[in-house]
Amino acid sequence: MLKGVLEGCVLEIINRGETYGYEITRRLNALGFTDVVEGTVYTILVRLEKNNLVDTEKKPSDMGPPRKFFVLNDAGREELRKFWEKWAFLSSKMNELKERER
Amino acid sequence: MLKGVLEGCVLEIINRGETYGYEITRRLNALGFTDVVEGTVYTILVRLEKNNLVDTEKKPSDMGPPRKFFVLNDAGREELRKFWEKWAFLSSKMNELKERER
DNA sequence: CCAACTACTTAGTGATACTATGTAGTGGTA
DNA sequence: TACCACTACATAGTATCACTAAGTAGTTGG
């Protein structure tokens, strides 16, 4: 059910400020997507990087291994904008379908 | 983006009354999902049948070849109920994500 | 020193939708 | 009557995206 949606969530989280995979995973979990695991998030991040939607930077951490931070670039912000546009469309159509003829 | 959602839409359309693949496709198109084609819908219908969520009946048509009509059975209605439940969850979480910190 | 937590990576699989193509009935029209 | 448009179903192959599972490695506390 998350297909096509999770990537948008990751973009949105990154857009709120530089962050890294492990933290993104925990934020998604906190949001309610409790069974999203690290592997899933990292594959999305690899895809985002491959598609040139993000810039990355390795930084040391106090808590463990170095973190790979992500920020959206212009293409990433445009992708995010399109994502919310598609979501709004889908959402409105689904409500239309759900509410019709009750 | 439709991944996991389209099957629910098809269940909902069938639940409104006995219908068949070609008509379901046109209804989805009319709803706004303009690039959903017959092939997509038929593969979903095959899946629904394989998973025993629908009952089927062939009936002649005035307009062309015989139609294969679908109705939801108990399992199908339960699946539909769960689908809307999941949609409501996803939808609320997405809004939460979208609206936070603006 | 080892368990728990932090943090990243990737190969393989599965679910779902899309592409492309084929078959066939019916009706209109040139 | 020959052809085209529309109706209607079917399916093999592909692509996309997320999930499973496993591994590597740094840090901290008991």
Side-chain angles (χ1 to χ4, degrees):
Chain A
M1 183 88 161
L2 283 175
K3 298 270 167 92
V5 173
L6 200 53
E7 182 178 308
C9 293
V10 171
L11 284 170
E12 176 64 30
I13 289 171
I14 295 174
N15 193 47
R16 297 192 180 286
E18 194 180 58
T19 183
Y20 54 97
Y22 189 78
E23 192 183 38
I24 293 169
T25 308
R26 281 189 286 111
R27 286 204 199 172
L28 286 168
N29 295 155
L31 186 64
F33 300 134
T34 49
D35 34 72
V36 171
V37 296
E38 291 168 64
T40 300
V41 172
Y42 287 112
T43 55
I44 290 172
L45 291 171
V46 167
R47 191 164 66 237
L48 294 180
E49 208 174 350
K50 204 183 67 185
N51 295 339
N52 289 307
L53 301 173
V54 289
D55 297 327
T56 66
E57 196 182 344
K58 267 250 159 96
K59 290 184 189 178
S61 164
D62 305 341
M63 315 280 288
R67 297 165 174 166
K68 189 172 176 183
F69 283 86
F70 293 81
V71 285
L72 296 193
N73 60 26
D74 287 347
R77 278 184 290 273
E78 173 61 12
E79 188 69 17
L80 177 59
R81 192 191 61 72
K82 283 192 287 187
F83 166 74
W84 282 120
E85 205 172 273
K86 280 188 283 183
W87 172 259
F89 178 81
L90 178 61
S91 189
S92 76
K93 291 309 178 186
M94 291 305 288
N95 288 334
E96 202 177 311
L97 179 63
K98 189 177 180 181
E99 302 305 338
R100 205 167 21 144
E101 292 163 34
R102 278 291 149 88
Chain B
M1 183 88 162
L2 283 174
K3 299 266 169 93
V5 173
L6 200 52
E7 181 179 309
C9 292
V10 170
L11 284 171
E12 177 63 31
I13 289 171
I14 295 173
N15 193 46
R16 297 192 179 287
E18 194 180 58
T19 183
Y20 54 98
Y22 189 77
E23 192 183 39
I24 293 169
T25 307
R26 281 189 285 109
R27 287 204 198 170
L28 286 167
N29 294 155
L31 186 64
F33 300 135
T34 50
D35 35 70
V36 171
V37 296
E38 292 168 65
T40 300
V41 173
Y42 288 113
T43 54
I44 291 172
L45 291 171
V46 167
R47 190 162 68 236
L48 295 180
E49 209 175 347
K50 203 183 67 184
N51 296 339
N52 289 306
L53 301 173
V54 290
D55 297 327
T56 66
E57 194 182 346
K58 267 250 159 93
K59 290 184 188 177
S61 163
D62 305 341
M63 316 279 288
R67 296 165 175 166
K68 188 173 177 183
F69 283 86
F70 294 80
V71 286
L72 296 193
N73 58 28
D74 286 347
R77 279 184 289 273
E78 174 60 13
E79 188 68 19
L80 178 59
R81 191 191 61 72
K82 283 191 287 186
F83 166 73
W84 283 120
E85 206 172 273
K86 279 189 284 183
W87 172 259
F89 177 81
L90 178 61
S91 189
S92 77
K93 292 309 178 186
M94 291 306 289
N95 288 333
E96 202 177 311
L97 179 63
K98 189 177 184 182
E99 301 306 336
R100 205 166 22 144
E101 291 165 34
R102 278 289 149 85

